[in-house]
Amino acid sequence: MSLVAARNLGFPRMGKRRELKFALEKYWASEVGEQSLLATAQALRKEHWHLQVDAGIGVPPSNDFSLYDHVLDMAVTVGAIPRRFMSPDGPVSLAAYFAMARGAQDIPALEMTKWFDTNYHYVVPEFEAGMRYALRSNKAIDDYLEAKALGIETRPVLLGPVSFVLLGKPTDASVSRSQVFRLILPIYKELLKRLASAGARWVQIDEPCLCLDLDFEATKMFSEAYAVLTGTSSLPKLMLTTYFGDLGANLDLALELGTAGIHLDLVRAPKQLDALLAKNNSSLKISLGLVDGRNVWRTNMNKATDTLEAAVRVLGKDRVEVAPSCSLLHSPFDLDTETKLDAEVRSWMAFAKQKLEEVSILSKGIDGRDKIEEELAENARIMESRRASTRIHQDRVKRSMDAIDDSMLHRRSAYPERHREQERFLSLPKFPTTTIGSFPQTAEVRKMRSAYRNGKIHQKIYEGFLQEKTKRCIQFQEEVGLDVLVHGEFERNDMVEYFGERLDGFVFSENGWVQSYGSRCVKPPIIYGDISRPKPMTVYWAQYAQSLTKKPMKGMLTGPVTILQWSFVRDDQPRSKTCQQIALAIRDEVTDLETAGIKIIQIDEPAIREGLPLRRVDWPAYLDWSVNAFRLAASGVADRTQIHTHMCYSEFNDIIDSIAKMDADVISIECSRSRMELLDAFHRVHYPNEIGPGVYDIHSPRVPECSEIENLLHKALEVLTPDQLWVNPDCGLKTRGWAEVKLSLKNMVATAAKLRLS
Ligand SMILES: [Zn+2]
């Protein structure tokens, strides 16, 4: 039975060489037709099924593949297709599908938002009044039959009905989620019936929302749903699949749903297995998520085998399966394609393909530890080499960590005193104007950067080019009349990668891409060891830029939480520790900038909110260490040095107290799209420091009128004092064109000048 017990919950869709990305982009650019795109997709599915079988996965998943997003696929399947995209009946064309994902001419796309606490974005289903829900797509059945025709039995994956409804949003006050739920439930039943007729014996039904705090309504939906979807022989058996956290208080609910199996994420929440084993009172099959589906490290197989043995002791061999903790959608494809990674660090790593090999080996351990003796010994050797490696552990860093005391988390004086010092030191006008950091990165800049990275141009030439760009950017800002300038960030590829490349403890893969949304992939830096800063990272450019102007130059840094959040993080110490190490490195950079004569330093933390744990009970601990990491980075400077931070999202209400605790002298935030409404949160907590609420939306090429900006500033002054208010755009200007930026900023500066006179 051994091999059969190895399962996978989902495989990366893009392909080893991101074939799907390129096929999609060619299709969208009308360079290839529908047939060509679909053929690429089919070839990828085939390749991935074979790869999984070869890796030892007994029954690989099907319908985990998607041309864009699996939540969108489910919306189309149940007919949650808003009227603006197509007439209510008729087949759903590929054009309509992509219009929902990406918009078309004047039709806005569905929104996207983060998939739980990952960096993957899903398409948010809309529930309109009068929507005609019906089974509108056979994709799940077609994919199952496609694999079957290749001789491969698969386990189809469906996003479960309750999570689907909870992840979507009613667009009309007359629509409730429970109404939508009742309308789609029969469609799920019909779909499951058809899958059973096609031959599917098991279906993986994903209900990740079971790992969230559930209200009464959601709990009721779960009970109702699975009363309908289980218990008859005409339906496939369901593997109720949870991930990204702990079932916690929902464990009893999950066990009562009557599914034939439950999958647990034992990487994120290892302790929940004991709770489940203690309740062993059924014939439930348990799928153990023992291999981390969200990171790049090898599994500690001996530890995983301990867990496996404990489960087998209680459940018996036939009731246990082994799987990754969650879908491998969040893992890079194949470590074998990495030829340039440091050999030692590489030996500690596993990408999707290697993770499946681990799953397969572990599943053989169901029949006894002795069956995988050799593999366990080899794994123990690798784990020990990692644990003891001097590449990972730097005494210097450990000593700095031990030396952190409370005084390092506080500026010398409280904000009012600092404010007075900064006023004298900076002599800025009322309503100071500035930008968030980056200026347009034209094709020319990207071309020069890639030429330099590929060794095609000499460092001297590249630096000369960057100096020229920086110089022109400063002239531009002086012409526009801004009060606080930035250097423009032409030397930076990415706000995390740039710093990762300059810090010890990071490595970079060549092909470690993971899907972010649609065809977009990101290649996160990999933090493998203690982090330290061998030398200053940004001081040269800040100092060079400051030498060209009498106006204050802002030094631009990425904050520790954001660097952590957008990297693959080592799993051998708590994230909070790793964050603290990054914070120490940034702190040194901050004080070096100050010493170099930079009077204002901005430490961006756009990712602090997305790091929030899934359950409220875990929020305070996270907010505590993340806010302290920022304070550690920011507090090494004199009172007169002004610390800025920037965040670009609009849901502040939940965490406004923590944002206040960061104690930045100035915070700039996205605000224009919400018409300054989110300032209410700042008002409510009497936010004491200065705020730059973005006065225009940089996501649009539109040039804002002075009157619009003035209206927004007046709105802001209803809740802020004139002393508190800064004037700046929403976010960095990297993606905009120079011409529109000039007009927009001129209007912004003119409006601030007018406000000073009134
Ligand atoms: Zn931003």
Side-chain angles (χ1 to χ4, degrees):
M1 69 145 283
S2 50
L3 271 188
V4 187
R7 291 288 179 276
N8 183 25
L9 308 182
F11 195 75
R13 301 156 183 161
M14 283 295 140
K16 199 174 197 162
R17 291 164 211 87
R18 286 181 294 154
E19 292 89 335
L20 181 60
K21 171 193 175 68
F22 301 118
L24 283 166
E25 288 169 359
K26 278 190 182 147
Y27 172 75
W28 293 332
S30 304
E31 285 166 30
V32 300
E34 188 167 323
Q35 289 311 318
S36 163
L37 172 63
L38 297 179
T40 302
Q42 188 172 4
L44 286 172
R45 286 191 294 268
K46 180 177 172 185
E47 187 190 327
H48 298 170
W49 281 320
H50 280 301
L51 180 151
Q52 293 176 77
V53 170
D54 291 347
I57 299 303
V59 185
S62 59
N63 199 41
D64 55 327
F65 182 88
S66 175
L67 285 173
Y68 201 94
D69 168 51
H70 55 282
V71 185
L72 176 62
D73 291 347
M74 206 63 231
V76 168
T77 299
V78 300
I81 302 163
R83 273 180 287 266
R84 64 182 184 278
F85 296 106
M86 58 177 290
S87 62
D89 303 299
V92 186
S93 67
L94 208 52
Y97 175 83
F98 285 128
M100 289 172 76
R102 311 173 68 233
Q105 284 103 29
D106 296 329
I107 311 169
L110 296 176
E111 271 176 33
M112 270 193 307
T113 194
K114 292 225 163 210
W115 177 244
F116 299 86
D117 57 354
T118 71
N119 281 328
Y120 177 80
H121 301 70
Y122 75 93
V123 174
V124 182
E126 285 179 13
F127 306 131
E128 286 178 343
M131 222 167 208
R132 291 174 36 196
Y133 298 100
L135 189 55
R136 297 291 292 277
S137 162
N138 275 326
K139 177 178 178 291
I141 299 142
D142 293 345
D143 282 10
Y144 173 79
L145 292 173
E146 187 179 303
K148 200 169 194 173
L150 297 168
I152 298 172
E153 177 62 22
T154 59
R155 187 171 71 179
V157 183
L158 298 178
L159 176 59
V162 184
S163 293
F164 174 75
V165 166
L166 294 176
L167 293 168
K169 62 165 200 190
T171 55
D172 190 307
S174 69
V175 181
S176 74
R177 284 201 172 83
S178 51
Q179 271 171 354
V180 176
F181 167 71
R182 286 199 185 92
L183 292 168
I184 65 163
L185 192 54
I187 304 169
Y188 266 87
K189 187 169 185 180
E190 174 64 25
L191 178 59
L192 286 171
K193 243 186 217 162
R194 290 200 199 177
L195 281 167
S197 307
R201 289 186 293 270
W202 280 85
V203 163
Q204 172 188 325
I205 197 136
D206 284 7
E207 291 283 14
C209 287
L210 277 169
C211 295
L212 303 180
D213 299 318
L214 296 176
D215 59 15
F216 176 70
E217 191 195 355
T219 308
K220 225 172 95 206
M221 280 195 257
F222 272 112
S223 305
E224 277 183 50
Y226 290 90
V228 172
L229 302 180
T230 60
T232 69
S233 56
S234 63
L235 297 176
K237 290 182 176 172
L238 298 182
M239 177 57 71
L240 182 71
T241 301
T242 66
Y243 38 81
F244 303 151
D246 196 331
L247 277 168
N250 301 327
L251 175 63
D252 285 330
L253 172 69
L255 288 173
E256 282 160 16
L257 296 181
T259 58
I262 292 187
H263 170 84
L264 302 177
D265 181 339
L266 297 177
V267 174
R268 271 294 180 87
K271 291 195 185 112
Q272 60 178 336
L273 180 63
D274 288 340
L276 182 133
L277 292 180
K279 288 177 189 284
N280 176 35
N281 53 4
S282 66
S283 57
L284 209 58
K285 194 155 231 176
I286 307 297
S287 164
L288 308 174
L290 293 170
V291 171
D292 193 345
R294 292 179 57 170
N295 214 331
V296 293
W297 307 108
R298 280 183 192 253
T299 306
N300 183 331
M301 304 274 268
N302 286 277
K303 226 175 109 197
T305 304
D306 293 344
T307 308
L308 181 65
E309 282 183 326
V312 171
R313 260 197 306 276
V314 176
L315 303 167
K317 290 179 185 179
D318 296 338
R319 284 175 55 199
V320 175
E321 288 179 359
V322 180
S325 60
C326 60
S327 167
L328 297 175
L329 178 65
H330 313 289
S331 289
F333 194 102
D334 183 2
L335 187 64
D336 294 343
T337 64
E338 299 296 328
T339 55
K340 292 183 187 151
L341 269 179
D342 173 275
E344 189 183 2
V345 177
R346 189 180 184 278
S347 73
W348 306 325
M349 293 167 66
F351 289 0
K353 184 174 163 228
Q354 290 72 33
K355 285 170 188 291
L356 292 178
E357 289 158 5
E358 291 184 333
V359 167
S360 166
I361 292 166
L362 284 170
S363 76
K364 292 177 195 159
I366 292 175
D367 286 334
R369 210 177 187 106
D370 54 317
K371 299 283 186 292
I372 52 172
E373 222 166 346
E374 254 172 60
E375 289 92 339
L376 289 180
E378 166 69 3
N379 181 263
R381 197 190 55 74
I382 294 166
M383 292 294 127
E384 179 52 25
S385 98
R386 183 175 170 201
R387 197 194 59 75
S389 172
T390 51
R391 302 285 308 284
I392 290 186
H393 306 283
Q394 315 271 345
D395 287 340
R396 197 159 39 92
V397 177
K398 300 269 191 288
R399 279 196 300 275
S400 317
M401 298 275 283
D402 291 340
I404 296 173
D405 63 33
D406 194 56
S407 73
M408 291 170 75
L409 306 179
H410 297 273
R411 299 288 295 275
R412 269 153 237 186
S413 309
Y415 171 74
E417 172 65 25
R418 301 198 312 260
H419 180 66
R420 277 191 296 278
E421 291 261 341
Q422 289 165 18
E423 261 188 326
R424 273 198 294 275
F425 187 47
L426 298 167
S427 33
L428 292 170
K430 215 156 95 177
F431 311 124
T433 55
T434 190
T435 60
I436 302 306
S438 60
F439 269 86
Q441 293 238 339
T442 52
E444 184 200 12
V445 174
R446 288 193 297 271
K447 219 172 103 189
M448 286 297 276
R449 187 184 302 132
S450 98
Y452 171 62
R453 286 177 92 100
N454 297 328
K456 288 189 187 131
I457 53 169
H458 195 271
Q459 183 177 352
K460 283 259 154 43
I461 298 190
Y462 181 58
E463 273 171 14
F465 168 80
L466 291 176
Q467 284 176 347
E468 188 53 35
K469 283 277 151 198
T470 307
K471 199 183 282 177
R472 270 197 261 159
C473 181
I474 287 160
Q475 278 163 4
F476 175 93
Q477 293 173 80
E478 289 195 319
E479 265 171 53
V480 164
L482 291 160
D483 301 311
V484 173
L485 310 194
V486 296
H487 74 285
E489 300 179 19
F490 301 103
E491 79 286 10
R492 300 196 190 170
N493 38 358
D494 173 278
M495 63 183 291
V496 171
E497 195 170 71
Y498 181 83
F499 290 92
E501 284 174 347
R502 282 157 184 79
L503 291 166
D504 283 347
F506 280 81
V507 287
F508 294 84
S509 66
E510 287 167 85
N511 301 299
W513 298 98
V514 286
Q515 188 176 9
S516 172
Y517 61 87
S519 68
R520 198 181 138 78
C521 301
V522 292
K523 191 156 64 65
I526 298 162
I527 301 175
Y528 70 89
D530 286 346
I531 289 162
S532 62
R533 188 193 68 141
K535 55 179 197 225
M537 305 180 281
T538 65
V539 173
Y540 171 79
W541 287 110
Q543 209 169 14
Y544 172 73
Q546 184 65 83
S547 75
L548 302 172
T549 178
K550 293 205 160 51
K551 294 203 167 168
M553 180 64 52
K554 259 199 292 194
M556 301 299 305
L557 303 174
T558 302
V561 185
T562 300
I563 292 177
L564 182 87
Q565 198 61 29
W566 292 350
S567 301
F568 283 121
V569 180
R570 59 192 285 194
D571 59 356
D572 59 344
Q573 70 178 16
R575 289 170 72 83
S576 54
K577 275 256 175 287
T578 304
C579 195
Q580 213 173 22
Q581 294 180 352
I582 306 170
L584 279 175
I586 300 292
R587 180 184 175 96
D588 290 344
E589 186 72 12
V590 169
T591 48
D592 279 353
L593 281 169
E594 181 185 54
T595 309
I598 303 301
K599 299 172 180 172
I600 304 181
I601 298 156
Q602 179 171 313
I603 308 168
D604 286 351
E605 283 290 20
I608 212 162
R609 192 183 192 288
E610 71 185 47
L612 273 181
L614 295 175
R615 299 225 191 219
R616 285 243 172 199
V617 51
D618 299 324
W619 284 20
Y622 164 77
L623 288 168
D624 189 52
W625 65 252
S626 58
V627 167
N628 277 340
F630 179 86
R631 295 175 64 121
L632 180 60
S635 298
V637 290
D639 285 346
R640 64 181 196 177
T641 298
Q642 192 170 61
I643 298 290
H644 289 220
T645 190
H646 169 69
M647 295 177 185
C648 28
Y649 40 81
S650 45
E651 297 126 38
F652 282 98
N653 285 317
D654 289 340
I655 57 163
I656 186 74
D657 289 321
S658 300
I659 289 172
K661 279 187 202 142
M662 289 166 72
D663 198 27
D665 296 305
V666 183
I667 180 172
S668 60
I669 49 174
E670 179 187 315
C671 239
S672 68
R673 277 182 291 184
S674 68
R675 305 237 353 117
M676 300 280 159
E677 269 153 32
L678 72 97
L679 283 181
D680 291 346
F682 286 83
H683 182 54
R684 217 178 36 249
V685 298
H686 304 291
Y687 187 80
N689 307 4
E690 290 151 73
I691 309 178
V695 294
Y696 78 88
D697 178 9
I698 63 92
H699 300 90
S700 149
R702 204 179 142 264
V703 173
E705 305 277 341
C706 290
S707 59
E708 288 169 45
I709 298 175
E710 197 179 341
N711 284 340
L712 288 174
L713 288 172
H714 280 301
K715 274 195 94 155
L717 284 171
E718 288 168 18
V719 289
L720 304 176
T721 66
D723 248 13
Q724 276 186 297
L725 185 60
W726 281 67
V727 180
N728 46 258
D730 251 356
C731 200
L733 301 165
K734 193 170 167 176
T735 58
R736 298 268 64 93
W738 281 102
E740 65 196 65
V741 164
K742 186 166 207 167
L743 295 172
S744 302
L745 290 179
K746 276 196 160 168
N747 285 352
M748 189 184 89
V749 167
T751 311
K754 186 178 168 198
L755 209 62
R756 281 170 203 148
L757 297 174
S758 63

